[in-house]
Amino acid sequence: NYSLGTPGNPAKITNCQELQDVRNHLRWHYTIENDIDCSETRSWNNGAGFIAIANNAGFTGKIDGQNHIISNLYMSSDSSRGVFGQMQGTITGLNLKDVDFACYSTYCGVLTNVNFGTIEKSSITGKLACSGKCGGFASQNSGTISQSWADLEISSLDSGYGGPGYAGLIAGQSYSGTISNCYAKGQIVASQGGGLVGLNESSNISNSYSVAKVGNSSQWQDANGGLIGWQYQGASQTNSYWNKETSGRNIMCGSTQYNSPESCNDDNGLTDAQSKRWASYQGFDFEGIW
């Protein structure tokens, strides 16, 4: 049926198996038709759970979640690099609730491993245990993430795999990508981490904030910031904030090596009381977006 999976006639996803089967048609357009409980994935693939939809080829279609919730999704394997693996298409209005992911790869994300496409108006809650470069929406963002939020617990795997290196609740690394109008809650433990992004390189973060707790996974160094782990060369932030009290961090960036110190603004750290006032967030559109 060559008319199915087109923008005018998207394929309908109504259960977890149909979500897994997106891997059979990586260019199609889809809609999520209802809330979906994916608890069954704990028994899939000999305990590995859900398998990444697209690793090397990349998902180039579109999924419109229509603001429905996909809950209790489980992944645990060497190749559990996110629901979509590599993403070049568009994800909008998709909400993942109470995910439980253990990723034994160097690059780990909940929604996708590498994002070259567009992620918007989506959310993630739950747990991600990982090592290496770890992020909520993407291990590496080289596309766009906007109007989205994460409430995650990102932690180290068992001994032998080490703790997260570059880690953030939105993205582990943002390389030549953009992150705008996003926020992060929860907590993260990393050697170089931030509430939003672990490594920000040649990318801009704008109109975003974090209230996440930022901890340190290494006794040898503590290169963590309330918002960004490492503000690397070519990176910037605009009108972005973090809660100094909930994060436990008085600095925006853990490091600005190879970048201008002015690219991070420690004055944008807010007290808990300040973080609850609209006036604290300069440039935020509270009428059309927030």
Side-chain angles (χ1 to χ4, degrees):
N1 184 350
Y2 290 101
S3 68
L4 186 63
T6 63
N9 187 24
K12 295 176 173 26
I13 296 173
T14 62
N15 58 54
C16 204
Q17 184 60 57
E18 289 174 348
L19 178 64
Q20 182 72 92
D21 289 343
V22 169
R23 65 191 310 191
N24 298 325
H25 302 283
L26 298 177
R27 298 181 181 181
W28 280 18
H29 288 235
Y30 300 86
T31 55
I32 307 294
E33 293 297 303
N34 47 266
D35 292 348
I36 300 172
D37 186 347
C38 286
S39 298
E40 63 187 274
T41 52
R42 285 193 171 273
S43 63
W44 286 11
N45 300 303
N46 297 316
F50 195 88
I51 301 298
I53 287 170
N55 273 327
N56 297 322
F59 176 74
T60 59
K62 179 178 180 178
I63 290 189
D64 184 352
Q66 302 191 106
N67 220 27
H68 287 300
I69 295 171
I70 296 175
S71 59
N72 302 308
L73 199 59
Y74 177 79
M75 297 181 78
S76 178
S77 73
D78 290 342
S79 59
S80 58
R81 300 182 181 182
V83 175
F84 288 93
Q86 187 181 123
M87 222 282 292
Q88 302 173 34
T90 299
I91 306 295
T92 184
L94 180 64
N95 302 297
L96 302 181
K97 181 181 179 182
D98 296 334
V99 301
D100 188 356
F101 283 17
C103 176
Y104 298 87
S105 171
T106 306
Y107 308 102
C108 303
V110 172
L111 190 64
T112 180
N113 175 23
V114 181
N115 173 43
F116 292 106
T118 299
I119 299 168
E120 62 180 14
K121 300 178 181 177
S122 298
S123 69
I124 303 172
T125 73
K127 298 184 293 184
L128 169 63
C130 58
S131 60
K133 190 188 298 178
C134 307
F137 287 96
S139 168
Q140 177 179 308
N141 173 51
S142 293
T144 298
I145 304 175
S146 66
Q147 297 186 54
S148 297
W149 60 273
D151 185 355
L152 282 168
E153 178 185 337
I154 295 182
S155 60
S156 301
L157 285 166
D158 294 336
S159 60
Y161 291 95
Y166 304 120
L169 294 171
I170 300 297
Q173 177 185 16
S174 190
Y175 176 71
S176 299
T178 60
I179 295 172
S180 64
N181 296 296
C182 292
Y183 74 88
K185 299 171 62 177
Q187 59 184 3
I188 182 170
V189 174
S191 59
Q192 188 127 47
L196 288 184
V197 173
L199 175 60
N200 192 31
E201 180 179 0
S202 302
S203 295
N204 178 255
I205 297 171
S206 63
N207 300 339
S208 298
Y209 76 91
S210 173
V211 298
K213 181 179 180 181
V214 181
N216 178 33
S217 68
S218 172
Q219 60 178 317
W220 305 111
Q221 63 174 341
D222 188 351
N224 297 277
L227 200 71
I228 299 163
W230 188 359
Q231 184 88 311
Y232 196 59
Q233 57 189 9
S236 60
Q237 61 77 32
T238 308
N239 295 336
S240 294
Y241 304 85
W242 82 101
N243 187 314
K244 294 188 293 184
E245 296 180 45
T246 57
S247 69
R249 301 286 163 174
N250 290 319
I251 56 174
M252 173 180 281
C253 305
S255 173
T256 57
Q257 189 176 12
Y258 305 117
N259 201 337
S260 166
E262 289 75 23
S263 66
C264 294
N265 186 357
D266 291 342
D267 291 338
N268 283 15
L270 306 175
T271 66
D272 198 50
Q274 289 171 330
S275 72
K276 296 178 172 64
R277 300 175 188 150
W278 286 15
S280 298
Y281 302 91
Q282 297 299 310
F284 279 42
D285 180 358
F286 285 107
E287 298 295 328
I289 297 177
W290 290 96

